[in-house]
């Protein structure tokens, strides 16, 4: 990440974590990530959403500006509140962390083929229309271009359950709405996901193996080839843009 | 839905709705659904999650049983609390609605390529391990077999944005984690989704057209061919099962 003469600029990491139990294996994976990334010289900010009791739902209180008689249009309210600096404080704080980060690391247990609601709510609330994307600024032109993102999940089922033609479906298909629809869409490079499979059933030794693999993954991540994303340039006048319906 | 001599048994519908604004177009679509389904003789229960201030996040308070010194394992806690009747009251109420329903209708604006967090939270909390599925009871053997499900979404982008090779991706791929991973996985027949495209930009006339299409969709839905789902029988000893990681 160094670009200047003198000391290299430390890489800033925002680690967003979503698990209700501080004594979970998820917490051990998170601690490993913090330790490993700090040992690489990164500055790591952790948003532990459950510990923060992060509000999961977008609603009127996110936009405490005066025109409360208007029906809530979330996209418009996000753009207006960002512009006039009237966003709810918790959103502003998380947004600042996001904009400062070089690497966004999302860690969660896979619940019903997706993110726990508290993490989806973090995206719904913090990924502001007009800030992280706009009509003509998505994918390679997205406002978060230059950043890297990485999803780290744990599962109940074994790896075979997420292979080609598997019962559960392929992991990258399951993660498509997040990896492509959120992270790629806003311009981030998305690394292949890290998956800790079958964590409730692998025992202490299996869990130690997953922690070791996770550490190796983080050590080698700069050599990983990012996932292929669509390019706005290949899609004419970008009819596709618009991710929030009313 | 009639199977007996005498009066036909009315079809029970659970309509779960997730939008923060009661004056939204979403609310008009919801009202149309209630009116049309009731005119067909259905008994409709509406869970308007924002109006109910439905709690979106799974946490310890969902399981108010005494063994609070144990680390929270969500799947185990769900199974135990269901068995001993100690689930949080709001979960139990929604679960009863779900188990009584013949048709589950999920209505939401597409936010960041998925459900608003409050609806994901409804699934995380109400789709209980051991009740709606178990290790050997998924897809055609799922515990919700016999029920039908239907997703109705609104989008900001136009229909071309969700076609083959589009910038946003195909709608059924975007909805895969929900339609296949949640609804099909638990045994429900899943009808093709209803999509109201580009609702912020189509004007009053365009919105009236979408309402009319929605009504026609609901009138004709018994003739729709459900989406193809995987079959447990085609997957050996069901290695794939297990949807909640710790």
């Amino acid at each position: 990440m160094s670009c200047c003469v003198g000391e290299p600029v430390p890489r800033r990491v925002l680690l967003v974590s979503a698990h209700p139990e501080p004594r979970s294996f998820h917490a051990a994976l998170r601690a490993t990530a913090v330790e490993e990334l700090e040992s690489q010289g990164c500055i790591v900010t952790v948003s532990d959403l459950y510990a923060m009791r992060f509000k999961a739902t977008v609603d009127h209180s996110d936009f405490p500006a005066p025109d409360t008689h208007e029906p809530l249009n979330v996209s418009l309210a996000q753009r207006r509140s960002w512009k006039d600096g009237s966003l709810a404080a918790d959103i502003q704080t998380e947004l600042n962390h996001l904009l400062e980060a070089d690497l966004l690391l999302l860690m969660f247990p896979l619940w019903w083929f997706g993110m726990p609601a508290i993490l989806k709510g973090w995206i719904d609330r913090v990924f502001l229309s007009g800030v992280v994307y706009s009509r003509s600024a998505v994918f390679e032109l997205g406002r978060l271009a230059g950043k890297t993102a990485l999803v780290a999940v744990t599962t109940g089922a074994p790896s075979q359950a997420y292979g080609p033609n598997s019962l559960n479906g392929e992991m990258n298909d399951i993660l498509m709405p997040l990896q492509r629809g959120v992270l790629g869409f806003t311009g981030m490079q998305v690394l292949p996901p890290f998956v800790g499979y079958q964590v409730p059933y692998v025992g202490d030794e299996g869990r130690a193996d997953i922690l070791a693999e996770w550490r190796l993954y983080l050590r080698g991540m700069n050599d990983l080839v990012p996932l292929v994303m669509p390019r706005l340039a290949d899609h004419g006048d970008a009819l596709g843009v618009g991710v929030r319906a009313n």
Side-chain angles (χ1 to χ4, degrees), chain A:
Chain A
M1 299 301 300
S2 175
C3 60
C4 316
V5 179
E7 287 298 299
V9 179
R11 193 181 205 193
R12 287 183 176 269
V13 180
L14 174 58
L15 188 171
V16 185
S17 154
H19 197 292
E21 174 55 60
R23 293 164 289 178
S24 60
F25 181 64
H26 168 93
L29 284 166
R30 185 179 62 214
T32 297
V34 172
E35 188 189 290
E36 173 58 31
L37 291 166
E38 288 184 342
S39 82
Q40 294 178 14
C42 299
I43 297 173
V44 183
T45 301
V46 176
S47 290
D48 179 348
L49 300 182
Y50 269 97
M52 294 155 68
R53 296 175 175 273
F54 190 76
K55 175 173 170 281
T57 52
V58 173
D59 62 25
H60 283 84
S61 71
D62 289 353
F63 316 107
D67 64 341
T68 48
H69 295 298
E70 287 292 308
L72 176 61
N73 176 312
V74 173
S75 291
L76 293 181
Q78 288 186 334
R79 278 176 256 160
R80 191 202 60 223
S81 304
W82 157 254
K83 230 174 183 170
D84 67 17
S86 66
L87 278 168
D90 61 341
I91 299 177
Q92 188 67 60
T93 300
E94 293 302 307
L95 180 63
N96 292 346
H97 291 328
L98 175 64
L99 296 176
E100 288 164 7
D102 302 300
L103 172 69
L104 173 64
L105 169 47
L106 301 179
M107 299 188 68
F108 56 97
L110 201 65
W111 282 0
W112 283 110
F113 296 79
M115 292 172 274
I118 199 168
L119 180 54
K120 181 55 165 59
W122 185 84
I123 288 165
D124 289 344
R125 297 182 68 225
V126 176
F127 273 56
L128 297 180
S129 177
V131 181
V132 302
Y133 78 99
S134 71
R135 203 171 169 80
S136 54
V138 298
F139 289 109
E140 76 274 20
L141 299 181
R143 297 278 173 78
L144 304 184
K147 300 183 190 299
T148 300
L150 157 59
V151 172
V153 299
T154 48
T155 74
S159 60
Q160 308 94 289
Y162 300 97
N165 301 313
S166 58
L167 193 62
N168 284 5
E170 292 193 41
M171 184 58 79
N172 276 328
D173 292 339
I174 293 168
L175 295 176
M176 182 275 251
L178 171 59
Q179 293 189 144
R180 172 177 158 169
V182 178
L183 304 173
F185 190 87
T186 54
M188 289 190 260
Q189 280 209 318
V190 184
L191 300 184
F194 177 83
V195 188
Y197 290 104
Q198 213 181 359
V199 296
Y201 307 109
V202 293
D204 287 347
E205 208 177 318
R207 290 181 168 206
D209 288 346
I210 295 171
L211 288 171
E213 286 163 26
W214 176 224
R215 192 181 289 276
L216 282 177
Y217 176 103
L218 291 169
R219 284 191 189 158
M221 67 181 162
N222 292 333
D223 299 325
L224 292 173
V225 178
L227 303 179
V228 175
M229 291 292 157
R231 289 174 49 83
L232 183 59
D234 298 333
H235 289 268
D237 57 354
L239 271 173
V241 178
V243 295
R244 177 110 47 189
N246 210 37

